[in-house]
Amino acid sequence: MSILPDSVQNLIDEFSKLPGIGPKTAGRLTFYLLSKGGQDVESFSQAVKNLRKNLVVCEKCFNISEISPCDICSDPKRDISKVMAVEEPLDVIALEKTGYNGLYHVLGGVISPIDGIGPENLRIRELLAKLKKGNVSEVILATDPSLEGEATAMYISKQIQKENLPVKVTRIARGLPVGGDLEYADEITLTRALEGRKEY
Amino acid sequence: MSILPDSVQNLIDEFSKLPGIGPKTAGRLTFYLLSKGGQDVESFSQAVKNLRKNLVVCEKCFNISEISPCDICSDPKRDISKVMAVEEPLDVIALEKTGYNGLYHVLGGVISPIDGIGPENLRIRELLAKLKKGNVSEVILATDPSLEGEATAMYISKQIQKENLPVKVTRIARGLPVGGDLEYADEITLTRALEGRKEY
């Protein structure tokens, strides 16, 4: 005999599928929605239902958008000589807050043999094709400073070298995060911070 | 110019309304759903939509259920002489795992003047009416061991005394949690653990 009504157990199961949400949190979220009026539940359900509605992948930068090319790619004020290669759409949102004014190229992930993702599964070919057109003077590799992110950045930079493209390839700096504490930094971060030191 | 498509921002906003989910987590959950197939998004949306479908509040114990009286209240094997008063339906799920065989009474919250919740907003009147029928020999007060939970338990026990009902009123034990560490326990918990000591 199940204690919970099917519809409740069903939503708990669906919440549990999301990353970082275990069965306890899923239960709490479900009962929170239950305690809310039917209007809130309906608007949440609609928001999920409409998520993919009108959504396209930008033909130029492969970011998600409502139109293609997206607002960033079709903005005449952006500096088209700079392209920043990032892993996912969420990275674009974070980077837009820095005031960066160039274009983006969403790779769609990182090279990760353990998950069966090779270079051919990412949009690296498309990036190289973009660079070959000759309008880009700098490509900024802004993949995560993780093992996979570093490997992907290195792979892309080697491919660009191999093709002998006249493009400056840069990698975002790795070092101590602002507000961080030197004493607690790991040795790899410290090594990178030293390597990347600048004249004052 | 918003960077995110409306439908994406909309779901991020909806996720952010849930307790314990900030805008960053909401973004992560939304992009996780985006990376999944349309089928997964659809089944999640359906689960939310159907949450309140066929759901009723049990007329006896006020737990949520698909039928009224609920499976627990209508189970002839349960001991109807015991009633456990709990705050919410989630508490019933936790207590069912202990093998408790009596009935429940879901209060629907705790007395919390700061949130404008008085005794009249809880199902205390209904509990007293149930006890007056004379079938119950013990009422177990299983509200949380928080300030509000203790106050609610004390209020209920006083009401029962006032009505002069021939019912044994018990409160779940407060003490050290199993697997806990005495050295790290706070002084109130330790005081309660000492007060509740038993002969070995």
Side-chain angles (χ1 to χ4, degrees):
Chain A
M1 189 175 71
S2 157
I3 317 162
L4 283 172
D6 283 348
S7 65
V8 177
Q9 187 60 54
N10 195 13
L11 184 57
I12 292 180
D13 293 345
E14 287 291 336
F15 267 126
S16 301
K17 286 182 195 163
L18 301 178
I21 295 190
K24 288 242 170 181
T25 308
R28 199 151 286 276
L29 295 176
T30 303
F31 277 90
Y32 173 82
L33 278 177
L34 260 182
S35 73
K36 289 277 139 187
Q39 185 56 48
D40 293 84
V41 176
E42 182 59 26
S43 79
F44 186 65
S45 160
Q46 279 301 320
V48 179
K49 198 187 176 72
N50 293 337
L51 176 60
R52 288 165 158 265
K53 222 175 177 175
N54 309 325
L55 225 58
V56 292
V57 168
C58 171
E59 67 198 65
K60 290 192 170 177
C61 70
F62 303 99
N63 195 0
I64 49 156
S65 172
E66 273 163 331
I67 43 167
S68 178
C70 71
D71 286 339
I72 294 176
C73 288
S74 56
D75 184 355
K77 291 194 211 103
R78 313 274 314 198
D79 180 359
I80 61 162
S81 73
K82 286 198 181 98
V83 168
M84 175 127 62
V86 297
E87 293 180 19
E88 348 161 357
L90 268 181
D91 299 329
V92 174
I93 302 165
L95 288 161
E96 273 296 278
K97 290 179 188 151
T98 65
Y100 169 74
N101 196 35
L103 302 178
Y104 294 95
H105 184 92
V106 179
L107 295 167
V110 275
I111 298 171
S112 173
I114 217 162
D115 301 315
I117 300 172
E120 67 283 0
N121 302 116
L122 305 175
R123 292 176 192 119
I124 295 176
R125 209 179 312 114
E126 290 85 344
L127 176 64
L128 293 172
K130 199 182 279 180
L131 300 180
K132 274 178 199 160
K133 285 189 190 149
N135 299 323
V136 180
S137 62
E138 180 179 1
V139 57
I140 305 162
L141 303 175
T143 51
D144 286 348
S146 61
L147 203 66
E148 291 87 0
E150 296 290 0
T152 308
M154 187 169 292
Y155 178 86
I156 295 174
S157 94
K158 280 198 178 150
Q159 290 302 109
I160 295 171
Q161 268 174 28
K162 207 188 276 177
E163 301 268 3
N164 231 332
L165 296 170
V167 178
K168 188 163 109 185
V169 182
T170 56
R171 174 93 175 103
I172 47 164
R174 282 132 311 171
L176 292 171
V178 176
D181 201 327
L182 193 138
E183 169 183 5
Y184 296 120
D186 62 292
E187 57 195 66
I188 301 176
T189 300
L190 272 179
T191 308
R192 295 298 169 109
L194 277 173
E195 283 170 4
R197 69 186 181 278
K198 280 189 179 169
E199 232 170 299
Y200 204 54
Chain B
M1 189 176 71
S2 157
I3 317 161
L4 283 171
D6 282 348
S7 65
V8 177
Q9 187 60 54
N10 196 12
L11 185 56
I12 292 179
D13 293 344
E14 287 291 336
F15 267 125
S16 301
K17 287 182 195 163
L18 301 179
I21 295 190
K24 288 243 167 178
T25 308
R28 201 150 283 277
L29 294 176
T30 303
F31 277 89
Y32 173 82
L33 277 177
L34 260 181
S35 73
K36 288 277 138 186
Q39 186 57 47
D40 292 86
V41 176
E42 184 58 38
S43 80
F44 186 65
S45 159
Q46 279 300 320
V48 179
K49 200 186 175 72
N50 294 337
L51 176 59
R52 288 166 160 264
K53 223 176 177 175
N54 310 325
L55 225 57
V56 291
V57 169
C58 170
E59 67 198 63
K60 289 192 171 178
C61 70
F62 303 99
N63 195 1
I64 48 156
S65 172
E66 273 162 333
I67 42 166
S68 178
C70 72
D71 286 339
I72 294 177
C73 287
S74 56
D75 184 354
K77 291 196 211 102
R78 313 271 318 196
D79 179 359
I80 60 162
S81 73
K82 284 199 183 96
V83 168
M84 176 126 61
V86 297
E87 292 180 19
E88 343 160 2
L90 268 181
D91 299 328
V92 173
I93 302 163
L95 288 161
E96 273 296 277
K97 290 178 189 150
T98 65
Y100 168 74
N101 195 36
L103 301 179
Y104 294 94
H105 185 91
V106 178
L107 295 167
V110 275
I111 299 171
S112 173
I114 217 162
D115 300 316
I117 301 173
E120 68 283 359
N121 302 117
L122 306 175
R123 292 177 194 118
I124 296 176
R125 211 180 310 115
E126 290 86 344
L127 178 64
L128 293 172
K130 198 182 278 178
L131 299 179
K132 275 178 196 159
K133 284 188 190 150
N135 300 322
V136 181
S137 63
E138 181 180 0
V139 56
I140 305 161
L141 302 176
T143 51
D144 286 348
S146 61
L147 203 66
E148 291 87 0
E150 296 289 0
T152 308
M154 187 170 292
Y155 178 87
I156 295 174
S157 93
K158 280 197 177 152
Q159 291 301 108
I160 295 171
Q161 268 175 29
K162 207 187 276 177
E163 301 268 4
N164 232 331
L165 295 170
V167 179
K168 190 163 108 186
V169 182
T170 57
R171 174 92 176 104
I172 48 164
R174 283 132 310 173
L176 293 171
V178 176
D181 202 326
L182 194 138
E183 167 182 6
Y184 296 121
D186 63 291
E187 55 195 68
I188 301 176
T189 300
L190 273 180
T191 308
R192 296 299 169 108
L194 277 174
E195 282 170 5
R197 70 187 181 276
K198 280 189 178 171
E199 233 171 296
Y200 203 53

